[in-house]
């Protein structure tokens, strides 16, 4: 019996909420019983610091950073560090660079050593101030020399004209330097004392206004007296150094002296002995070096000759120097000092030395099998039994003869196989064949035209020379037309009438969604991919290398040492360019940086250039410390796994440029130049190195267009997209879209002339256009060439300051 007042459970069971006491920090600490994990210990210590301790820690970090900056300033140009390398860049044809050098040489209690015949520079030694400078002059018209010297310079000294500032050549030089990366710089204006006082003030205001737009935080230094030159030197010595990442992580030096020793086999190749001060990082003899503009090389040994710019004259034996100020001339190439008291620091170890191999030698037999295994033989027998067929043969026919008798079904399959082989012809090869046929037909017609043609020769030579540029103008006009058509009708092509569309576009495929449809990056790779190197995880390798540079100590020549590098198998042209006055810059390479891979650069069109630049057109690259020529691909910069090809370099968006080139670890700046027919180099784009990734998928899109002929509710008859029934059936699975946002598909062909019935998701308008998208992955051309010709100097024009003011307004 159940009592009357007893509780009876209802049909729904009540569930109370659980207690949340185990989710706050106190309960977890009690549950842990005092045990603290290793990873959480440093965070807990930081969290448990008191307010006073946190302030003290922040003060210590600020003090450490400040001491590091001061130590860097003290080491630069000191007794233990390399000399302060200052590159003078005159930005105007009237800029008095020679007067600037004379003023800088006239310093009290200083020893000046002049380097005659090489770079027109000099070394300034101040034992009283414990400072030493090395001044080198670079002409703004010599683009390669300016960019090479800026790669290794500690400071740039721009020489301006007091009236006009800089001209067109100086403007071009500044654009290139800003894109490459500017080290510490200063602005100097020599002269201007011959102007009247009122005009002098107006010119100074105009120049200050222009400088404020180009150099917002720069200070202008007049340079007319010795006192002003000493103020400029003090500013150069005490200003904060700006770092360039691609040079701070690699050892580099500017050749102070060089000597060429011909090899035993040939006089054209030998050992180059390069002397200079080590900068950036410690130089290892087993690593590779890159001579800017000439290629990668190995070193055999590193010597330590006497320092020619020592602040203490007693260090060098066998020489007597006066303590008073005097001007001393160096011997030719410094060979006398190199031969005295030379000590061998280290020699290369063949077991540890980096290899010069830049490409993988593909094995054509790789993946082939010379002898089948027993399992494969059993599988082959099973497949033969499965493929046995019954064939009617005459009496007396042997098995061998019966194997040659083909039935109708097999004939059809063989025809299909032949068609598949024919379909493997690439569309690029077909375009080349069509163009060659057109050229050959024109060549065949030319002799007949020449026989009947009457020519009138112009008497004026100027007209003939003027007409030589007409062909270039016509080519440029055609490029402008193609770029304009690509902007108006992106990726649209006309369906050929003479070739079936299923043959012309057989390499292309349809995608349901360009963003989400899968695409295997290892599918149908070209033969050039067998020659390149690829990282399993490039970013991880890069972080590991940079961590080693920062933490581990490398054995070799330390920063600030004056050393002589014995570079092996160097062509004699390197020494000839050095004798002509060209700067010789040497960079050490990180591991793997001599190997070829696929590099992707993120660039943006430079506003000074507006000519159309087509994809796969040969361009000149300045990537970090390298120069090379290549034919790149342009593609969109998106976060997806597929990137659409761009046929032209867009002026309004950032694009990714893809080329075959040696591996370079980012960050590194990139400059793209285009060579004119007269040899001048135009800056067309600037940017930075994005990644080293051969798996980046660049997809070329083709758009076939058709027009609605008859429109029903959601169905329409479309024509002019195809011109035969077979093409309509071939492309039936591909989805259609229209310019006004409708989507649909092909239902069935109508007739034999390419008309087709299509169904859409809404009513179609008569002025709408039906589109069909096809896609194909493309790869860059292997046109890498490390030898870049010297550019023709730019022609100077009037001042560039008014042009700059107009652009800014």
């Amino acid at each position: 019996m159940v009592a009357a007042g007893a509780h009876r459970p209802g049909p729904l069971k009540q569930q109370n909420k659980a207690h949340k006491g185990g989710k706050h920090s106190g309960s977890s600490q009690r549950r842990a019983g005092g045990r603290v994990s290793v990873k959480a210990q440093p965070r807990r210590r930081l969290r448990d610091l008191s307010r006073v301790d946190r302030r003290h820690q922040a003060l210590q970090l600020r003090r450490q950073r400040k001491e590091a900056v001061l130590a860097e300033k003290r080491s630069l140009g000191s007794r233990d560090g390399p000399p302060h390398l200052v590159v003078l860049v005159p930005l105007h044809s009237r800029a008095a660079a020679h007067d600037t050098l004379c003023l800088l040489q006239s310093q009290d209690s200083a020893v000046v050593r002049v380097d005659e015949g090489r770079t027109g520079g000099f070394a300034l030694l101040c034992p009283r101030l414990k400072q030493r400078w090395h001044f080198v002059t670079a002409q703004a018209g010599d683009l390669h020399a300016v960019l090479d010297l800026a790669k290794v310079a500690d400071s740039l000294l721009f020489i301006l004209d007091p009236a006009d500032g800089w001209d067109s050549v100086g403007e071009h030089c500044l654009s290139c330097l800003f894109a490459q990366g500017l080290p510490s710089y200063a602005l100097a204006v020599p002269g201007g004392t011959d102007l009247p006082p009122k005009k002098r003030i107006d010119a100074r205001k105009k120049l200050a206004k222009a400088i404020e737009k180009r150099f917002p935080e720069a200070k202008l230094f007049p340079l007319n007296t010795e006192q002003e030159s000493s103020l400029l030197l003090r500013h150069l010595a005490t200003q904060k150094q700006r770092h360039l990442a691609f040079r701070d992580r690699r050892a580099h030096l500017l050749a102070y002296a060089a000597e060429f020793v011909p090899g035993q086999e040939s006089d054209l190749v030998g050992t180059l002995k390069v002397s200079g001060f080590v900068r950036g990082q410690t130089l290892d003899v087993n690593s590779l070096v890159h001579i800017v503009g000439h290629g990668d090389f190995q070193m055999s040994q590193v010597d330590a000759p006497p320092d020619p710019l020592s602040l203490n004259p007693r260090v060098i034996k066998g020489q007597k120097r006066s303590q008073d100020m005097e001007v001393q001339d160096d011997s030719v190439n410094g060979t006398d000092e190199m031969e005295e008291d030379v000590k061998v620091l280290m020699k290369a170890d063949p077991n540890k030395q980096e290899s010069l191999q830049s490409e993988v030698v593909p094995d054509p037999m790789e993946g082939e099998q010379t002898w089948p295994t027993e399992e494969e033989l059993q599988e082959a027998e099973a497949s033969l039994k499965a493929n046995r067929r019954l064939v009617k043969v005459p009496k007396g026919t042997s098995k061998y003869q019966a194997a040659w008798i083909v039935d109708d079904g097999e004939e059809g399959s063989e025809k299909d196989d032949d068609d598949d082989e024919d379909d493997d012809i690439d569309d690029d090869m077909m375009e080349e064949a069509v163009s060659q046929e057109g050229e050959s037909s024109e060549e065949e017609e030319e002799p007949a035209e020449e026989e009947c043609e009457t020519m009138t020769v112009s008497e004026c030579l100027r007209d003939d020379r003027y007409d030589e540029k007409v062909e270039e103008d016509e080519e440029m006009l055609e490029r402008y037309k193609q770029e304009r058509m690509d902007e108006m009708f992106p990726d649209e092509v006309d369906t050929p009438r003479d070739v079936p569309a299923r043959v012309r576009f057989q390499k292309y495929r349809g995608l349901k969604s360009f963003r989400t449809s899968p695409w295997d990056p290892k599918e149908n790779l070209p033969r050039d991919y067998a020659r390149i190197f690829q990282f399993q995880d490039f970013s991880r390798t890069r972080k590991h290398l940079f961590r080693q540079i920062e933490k581990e100590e490398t054995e070799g020549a330390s920063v600030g040492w004056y050393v002589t590098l014995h570079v092996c198998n160097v062509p004699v042209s390197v020494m000839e360019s050095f004798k002509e006055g060209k700067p010789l810059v040497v960079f050490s390479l990180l591991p793997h940086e001599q190997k070829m891979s696929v590099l992707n650069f993120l660039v943006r069109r430079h506003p000074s250039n507006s000519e159309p630049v087509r994809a796969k057109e040969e361009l000149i690259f300045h990537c970090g410390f390298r120069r090379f020529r290549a034919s790149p691909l342009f593609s969109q910069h998106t976060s997806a796994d597929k990137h659409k090809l761009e046929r032209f370099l867009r002026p309004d968006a950032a694009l990714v440029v893809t080329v075959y080139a040696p591996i370079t670890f980012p960050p590194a700046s990139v400059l793209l130049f285009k060579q004119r027919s007269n040899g001048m180099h135009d800056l067309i784009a600037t940017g930075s190195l994005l990644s080293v990734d051969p798996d980046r998928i660049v997809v070329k899109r083709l758009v076939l267009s058709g027009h609605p002929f008859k429109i029903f509710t959601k169905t329409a008859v479309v024509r002019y997209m195809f011109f035969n029934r077979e093409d309509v059936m071939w492309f039936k699975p591909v989805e259609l879209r229209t310019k006004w946002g409708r989507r649909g598909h092909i239902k069935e062909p109508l007739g034999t002339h390419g008309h087709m019935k299509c169904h859409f998701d809404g009513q179609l308008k008569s002025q709408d256009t039906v589109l069909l998208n096809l896609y194909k992955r493309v790869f860059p051309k292997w046109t890498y060439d490390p030898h870049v010709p010297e550019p023709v100097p730019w022609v100077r024009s009037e001042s560039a300051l008014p042009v700059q003011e107009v652009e800014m307004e």
Side-chain angles (χ1 to χ4, degrees):
M1 290 285 299
V2 180
H7 170 71
R8 293 190 180 130
L12 300 177
K13 291 187 178 180
Q14 179 180 350
Q15 291 182 355
N16 296 328
K17 291 182 178 180
H19 181 57
K20 295 183 179 180
K23 293 187 179 181
H24 58 274
S25 59
S27 64
S28 61
Q29 292 176 5
R30 288 194 300 271
R31 203 181 308 115
R35 296 185 299 273
V36 181
S37 62
V38 177
K39 292 183 179 180
Q41 191 170 358
R43 294 183 181 179
R44 185 184 173 191
R45 284 180 181 175
L46 290 175
R47 188 179 59 201
D48 293 344
L49 287 177
S50 63
R51 183 180 178 184
V52 178
D53 293 338
R54 287 198 301 269
R55 291 178 61 183
H56 183 61
Q57 189 180 36
L59 181 65
Q60 285 181 333
L61 292 175
R62 281 200 303 271
R63 191 174 297 166
Q64 288 176 3
R65 286 195 291 266
K66 188 176 180 180
E67 289 177 355
V69 172
L70 290 175
E72 182 184 7
K73 286 183 180 179
R74 294 191 190 103
S75 63
L76 184 61
S78 64
R79 188 188 308 252
D80 299 327
H84 194 139
L85 180 59
V86 181
V87 177
L88 279 72
V89 184
L91 297 179
H92 201 281
S93 57
R94 296 194 300 267
H98 181 71
D99 298 343
T100 304
L101 292 175
C102 294
L103 278 173
L104 292 172
Q105 290 177 14
S106 60
Q107 298 294 319
D108 295 335
S109 67
V111 178
V112 179
R113 307 200 65 190
V114 181
D115 303 334
E116 296 291 346
R118 288 204 302 277
T119 56
F122 66 94
L124 187 65
L125 309 178
C126 297
R128 184 174 63 85
L129 300 176
K130 297 181 180 180
Q131 286 287 326
R132 51 180 180 171
W133 287 271
H134 186 201
F135 292 90
V136 181
T137 306
Q139 297 298 326
D142 192 352
L143 181 63
H144 284 181
V146 172
L147 293 179
D148 291 348
L149 288 172
K151 289 179 175 68
V152 294
D154 297 316
S155 300
L156 292 181
L157 181 59
F158 295 115
I159 312 298
L160 307 179
D161 182 67
D164 296 331
W166 55 81
D167 53 12
S168 59
V169 177
E171 175 71 21
H172 181 251
C173 178
L174 285 176
S175 300
C176 298
L177 287 175
F178 271 96
Q180 178 179 268
L182 216 63
S184 304
Y185 60 88
L187 305 176
V189 184
T193 55
D194 52 345
L195 294 174
K198 190 173 182 181
K199 289 186 177 180
R200 197 184 307 168
I201 295 173
D202 294 341
R204 191 178 301 170
K205 288 182 179 179
K206 179 184 176 183
L207 190 59
K209 185 179 180 181
I211 286 173
E212 187 179 357
K213 296 175 181 178
R214 258 297 191 183
F215 307 94
E217 301 177 356
K219 182 183 178 183
L220 194 61
F221 287 89
L223 203 60
N224 297 312
T225 61
E226 295 182 5
Q227 185 179 3
E228 291 174 345
S229 66
S230 61
L231 288 175
L232 178 61
L233 279 178
R234 182 178 298 176
H235 172 74
L236 292 173
T238 56
Q239 69 178 346
K240 184 179 179 181
Q241 292 297 313
R242 301 178 66 179
H243 294 275
L244 299 180
F246 73 88
R247 75 176 186 185
D248 288 343
R249 290 191 172 95
R250 299 169 179 87
H252 57 277
L253 60 87
L254 175 66
Y256 186 79
E259 180 186 357
F260 183 77
V261 180
Q264 299 178 355
E265 299 179 356
S266 174
D267 294 339
L268 301 177
V269 179
T271 301
L272 183 66
K273 298 180 180 179
V274 185
S275 299
F277 293 91
V278 180
R279 303 172 186 271
Q281 296 289 333
T282 304
L283 180 63
D284 186 10
V285 70
N286 294 316
S287 62
L288 299 179
V289 293
H290 176 80
I291 301 178
V292 177
H294 299 282
D296 304 334
F297 303 96
Q298 288 180 330
M299 292 182 291
S300 59
Q301 70 180 46
V302 177
D303 299 338
D307 190 348
L309 305 180
S310 175
L311 290 171
N312 187 2
R314 290 173 293 181
V315 174
I316 301 178
K317 299 179 181 179
Q319 290 188 357
K320 295 181 179 180
R321 297 183 179 179
S322 60
Q323 298 296 329
D324 300 330
M325 173 187 172
E326 61 181 26
V327 177
Q328 300 178 351
D329 293 342
D330 285 346
S331 58
V332 179
N333 294 335
T335 54
D336 294 343
E337 292 183 359
M338 291 171 63
E339 293 175 357
E340 295 180 1
D341 300 334
V342 175
K343 298 179 182 179
V344 179
L345 285 180
M346 62 198 79
K347 289 189 176 183
D349 187 0
N351 298 325
K352 298 181 181 179
Q353 200 170 22
E354 289 280 345
S355 173
L356 280 172
Q357 182 185 3
S358 61
E359 300 178 15
V360 178
V361 180
D363 185 7
M365 299 300 293
E366 187 177 4
E368 297 291 336
Q369 202 166 4
T370 56
W371 190 256
T373 61
E374 294 182 359
E375 296 178 357
E376 291 174 343
L377 290 174
Q378 293 175 1
E379 289 179 2
E381 290 180 1
S383 63
L384 284 175
K385 292 178 181 178
N387 292 332
R388 286 178 181 174
R389 54 191 173 87
L390 298 176
V391 182
K392 293 181 179 181
V393 296
K395 291 184 178 180
T397 305
S398 64
K399 291 182 179 180
Y400 178 78
Q401 293 173 337
W404 286 91
I405 297 176
V406 182
D407 57 358
D408 296 337
E410 193 170 351
E411 286 180 1
S413 63
E414 287 180 357
K415 289 181 181 179
D416 295 340
D417 294 341
D418 294 339
D419 292 340
D420 292 340
E421 292 178 0
D422 294 338
D423 290 347
D424 284 339
I425 303 172
D426 197 1
D427 55 340
D428 296 334
M429 297 175 62
M430 293 182 64
E431 291 175 0
E432 293 177 2
V434 171
S435 62
Q436 289 175 2
E437 287 177 3
E439 292 175 0
S440 62
S441 62
E442 291 176 1
E443 291 174 358
E444 291 174 359
E445 293 175 359
E446 281 179 2
E449 292 179 358
E450 287 178 359
E451 293 176 1
C452 303
E453 190 177 5
T454 59
M455 298 181 64
T456 57
V457 180
S458 176
E459 296 179 357
C460 183
L461 295 176
R462 293 182 179 179
D463 293 341
D464 294 342
R465 292 178 181 175
Y466 186 80
D467 290 339
E468 289 177 358
K469 299 181 180 179
V470 173
E471 295 182 0
E472 298 180 4
D473 293 341
E474 290 179 354
E475 291 179 0
M476 188 60 65
L477 178 61
E478 186 65 26
R479 287 185 180 179
Y480 276 116
K481 285 183 179 179
Q482 292 176 0
E483 186 180 28
R484 180 63 177 163
M485 291 295 292
D486 190 58
E487 289 179 1
M488 296 174 61
F489 307 100
D491 303 326
E492 287 193 33
V493 296
D494 294 331
T495 307
R497 301 291 299 271
D498 53 345
V499 181
R502 62 186 183 279
V503 176
R504 172 64 179 83
F505 307 119
Q506 61 186 342
K507 292 288 185 180
Y508 293 82
R509 68 179 70 175
L511 295 178
K512 186 172 182 60
S513 171
F514 182 80
R515 186 179 61 87
T516 60
S517 296
W519 197 305
D520 187 7
K522 303 297 185 183
E523 177 186 359
N524 293 334
L525 298 178
R527 290 183 178 271
D528 291 335
Y529 265 50
R531 302 164 58 185
I532 65 173
F533 291 85
Q534 184 176 4
F535 295 96
Q536 188 173 4
D537 190 346
F538 178 74
S539 60
R540 182 180 179 184
T541 305
R542 172 178 168 272
K543 289 180 182 178
H544 177 67
L545 282 176
F546 288 173
R547 199 178 297 116
Q548 283 184 337
I549 294 172
E550 293 175 358
K551 294 184 178 180
E552 297 182 5
E553 295 183 0
T554 307
E555 295 182 359
S558 299
V559 178
W561 289 7
Y562 183 77
V563 297
T564 299
L565 310 180
H566 293 246
V567 188
C568 306
N569 299 324
V570 179
V572 70
S573 59
V574 181
M575 189 64 193
E576 292 174 355
S577 66
F578 180 70
K579 289 180 179 179
E580 293 173 359
K582 304 289 183 182
L584 184 59
V585 179
V586 181
F587 273 84
S588 68
L589 297 181
L590 298 177
H592 314 296
E593 283 195 329
Q594 79 280 10
K595 300 173 182 177
M596 296 290 292
S597 187
V598 179
L599 271 63
N600 303 301
F601 308 105
L602 180 62
V603 302
R604 187 177 288 273
R605 187 74 174 264
H606 197 264
S608 65
N609 189 276
S610 60
E611 295 183 0
V613 180
R614 195 178 178 87
K616 296 185 180 180
E617 191 175 347
E618 187 180 77
L619 299 177
I620 296 172
F621 289 75
H622 288 240
C623 174
F625 53 88
R626 289 187 186 272
R627 282 198 300 265
F628 58 88
R629 291 185 292 176
S631 300
L633 291 179
F634 303 143
S635 59
Q636 293 180 351
H637 179 50
T638 59
S639 59
D641 59 343
K642 295 180 288 297
H643 312 274
K644 192 178 84 68
L645 175 77
E646 291 289 345
R647 288 174 169 80
F648 290 90
L649 188 62
R650 300 293 181 190
D652 55 348
L655 296 180
V656 176
V657 176
T658 304
V659 292
Y660 291 110
I663 294 170
T664 304
F665 289 98
S669 58
V670 176
L671 286 77
L672 270 65
F673 292 88
K674 184 178 178 182
Q675 187 171 1
R676 295 185 192 172
S677 58
N678 58 1
M680 296 174 63
H681 290 182
D682 289 334
L683 180 64
I684 63 170
T686 60
S688 59
L689 178 59
L690 180 64
S691 64
V692 181
D693 185 14
D695 288 341
R696 190 177 192 273
I697 301 174
V698 180
V699 177
K700 180 181 180 181
R701 184 181 71 171
L702 285 187
V703 179
L704 304 182
S705 59
H707 302 276
F709 177 48
K710 295 179 181 180
I711 301 176
F712 304 98
T713 308
K714 290 187 178 181
T715 307
V717 178
V718 180
R719 61 180 176 178
Y720 301 147
M721 183 178 289
F722 304 110
F723 298 100
N724 56 71
R725 188 182 183 90
E726 290 77 11
D727 287 344
V728 177
M729 297 299 295
W730 180 269
F731 290 100
K732 188 177 178 180
V734 184
E735 187 180 14
L736 301 176
R737 68 177 182 88
T738 69
K739 287 190 175 181
W740 288 12
R742 297 298 180 191
R743 292 182 175 272
H745 60 275
I746 302 172
K747 289 187 69 176
E748 59 181 353
L750 297 177
T752 59
H753 293 282
H755 291 209
M756 55 187 182
K757 184 188 291 186
C758 303
H759 185 76
F760 295 93
D761 58 355
Q763 179 80 28
L764 217 63
K765 302 294 183 182
S766 59
Q767 61 267 37
D768 203 351
T769 305
V770 181
L771 305 176
L772 184 141
N773 294 338
L774 299 174
Y775 303 94
K776 180 186 74 169
R777 185 179 179 184
V778 291
F779 302 91
K781 292 183 178 179
W782 192 291
T783 56
Y784 171 78
D785 185 6
H787 303 289
V788 178
E790 290 290 332
V792 176
W794 270 58
V795 180
R796 291 187 180 271
S797 61
E798 296 180 357
S799 169
L801 293 186
V803 178
Q804 183 70 15
E805 290 177 5
V806 171
E807 288 179 358
M808 295 302 293
E809 290 174 1

